[in-house]
Amino acid sequence: MVDSSAGLLTELLKQVSRSFYKTLRVLPGAVRPQISLAYLLARTTDTIADTQIVPPAERLQALRALRERILANPSAASLDFSALAQHQNSPAEWSLLQRAEESVALIEQFPAEDRQRIRDVLAIIASGQELDLSRFADATLERIAALNTDEELDDYTYRVAGCVGEFWTKMCRAHLIRDALLDEDWLTAKGVRFGKGLQLVNILRDLPRDLRHGRCYLPGDRLWAIGLAPSDL
């Protein structure tokens, strides 16, 4: 990696990942760059999705453009998120958006199998954020929208976190425990379940903030079964 690009996975990553950077720093060297880059690009999609001042339709367009670049679609245009960057209060997030094209380019420096793993997990994460923006496009504090069923909750937790557990598991399996005699399906399922579990904790932790934005990730049918509506929370 050239020095300027390598800085994306050190200084910029440190600025945008907060406490998680401490975890990334102690990962084995065989998987640290791949997981760090996937995290950096996931933070880029998060930043786009969370720029509340920008209309949902524009954020959706930006997310789709980034996803197409990540997937190396030949027809995808180079990324220019300078307009979105102007709405960021954090200098680190401003830089994250301004340097999105550089971040995507780093994918090419990994072997083909790692490139595919990175692209797969980011495509799933972006699909979850796109679904969120569509699902809650008209949601407000006065008009709270909720997921409907346990199945929708399970799908959501997989897209934004379960797939990350799956990615970590597959990456570590490939580079750290390739020759270990393990049940591949069992191992991957545990990774998915772990990621989903962490996201369920996040949902409970973030419930007040999400409700203020008109979003409720607790399934409506669960609430209605006990005589509650999302607005009662």
Side-chain angles (χ1 to χ4, degrees):
M1 295 182 190
V2 297
D3 290 344
S4 61
S5 294
L8 289 169
L9 298 185
T10 53
E11 289 308 310
L12 183 56
L13 183 65
K14 182 178 181 179
Q15 292 167 27
V16 299
S17 62
R18 306 180 186 93
S19 60
F20 193 58
Y21 180 70
K22 297 175 182 177
T23 301
L24 294 172
R25 281 187 62 197
V26 299
L27 285 176
V31 297
R32 188 187 310 128
Q34 301 94 315
I35 292 176
S36 294
L37 179 59
Y39 180 83
L40 189 72
L41 286 166
R43 284 288 289 115
T44 306
T45 65
D46 274 343
T47 299
I48 293 170
D50 290 343
T51 306
Q52 300 285 339
I53 196 171
V54 175
E58 292 182 28
R59 283 180 273 161
L60 268 172
Q61 184 178 15
L63 276 174
R64 288 167 180 160
L66 177 54
R67 175 165 51 83
E68 290 304 303
R69 286 294 288 154
I70 288 169
L71 294 176
N73 186 329
S75 64
S78 296
L79 299 171
D80 180 3
F81 293 144
S82 54
L84 271 172
Q86 301 310 313
H87 296 294
Q88 307 307 314
N89 294 321
S90 161
E93 291 183 340
W94 179 90
S95 184
L96 189 66
L97 293 180
Q98 292 282 27
R99 302 185 69 181
E101 184 68 27
E102 286 181 69
S103 299
V104 171
L106 289 181
I107 297 174
E108 296 299 328
Q109 303 195 33
F110 295 109
E113 290 184 353
D114 285 350
R115 292 200 302 268
Q116 193 59 52
R117 293 184 188 103
I118 292 169
R119 286 175 172 139
D120 286 347
V121 70
L122 289 167
I124 296 169
I125 290 171
S127 76
Q129 292 163 335
E130 291 169 26
L131 182 60
D132 245 27
L133 284 174
S134 299
R135 177 183 280 142
F136 299 117
D138 299 320
T140 64
L141 178 59
E142 293 74 29
R143 188 170 59 244
I144 298 173
L147 302 185
N148 292 308
T149 64
D150 285 356
E151 289 74 22
E152 287 187 2
L153 175 61
D154 187 66
D155 176 69
Y156 168 74
T157 57
Y158 173 72
R159 290 182 193 237
V160 300
C163 67
V164 178
E166 184 176 39
F167 167 72
W168 276 60
T169 302
K170 289 181 176 180
M171 193 65 76
C172 291
R173 172 64 162 158
H175 292 282
L176 303 177
I177 50 174
R178 179 185 294 273
D179 298 324
L181 298 177
L182 296 168
D183 183 327
E184 204 82 35
D185 292 338
W186 177 89
L187 188 67
T188 302
K190 291 296 184 184
V192 171
R193 188 176 181 186
F194 184 72
K196 287 180 177 179
L198 291 177
Q199 187 60 29
L200 290 173
V201 172
N202 289 342
I203 287 171
L204 294 176
R205 182 197 64 193
D206 297 338
L207 183 62
R209 185 193 66 184
D210 287 334
L211 289 171
R212 288 195 296 271
H213 289 120
R215 300 190 299 255
C216 178
Y217 292 98
L218 303 182
D221 59 2
R222 291 273 189 168
L223 296 173
W224 298 320
I226 57 173
L228 293 175
S231 57
D232 296 322
L233 298 175

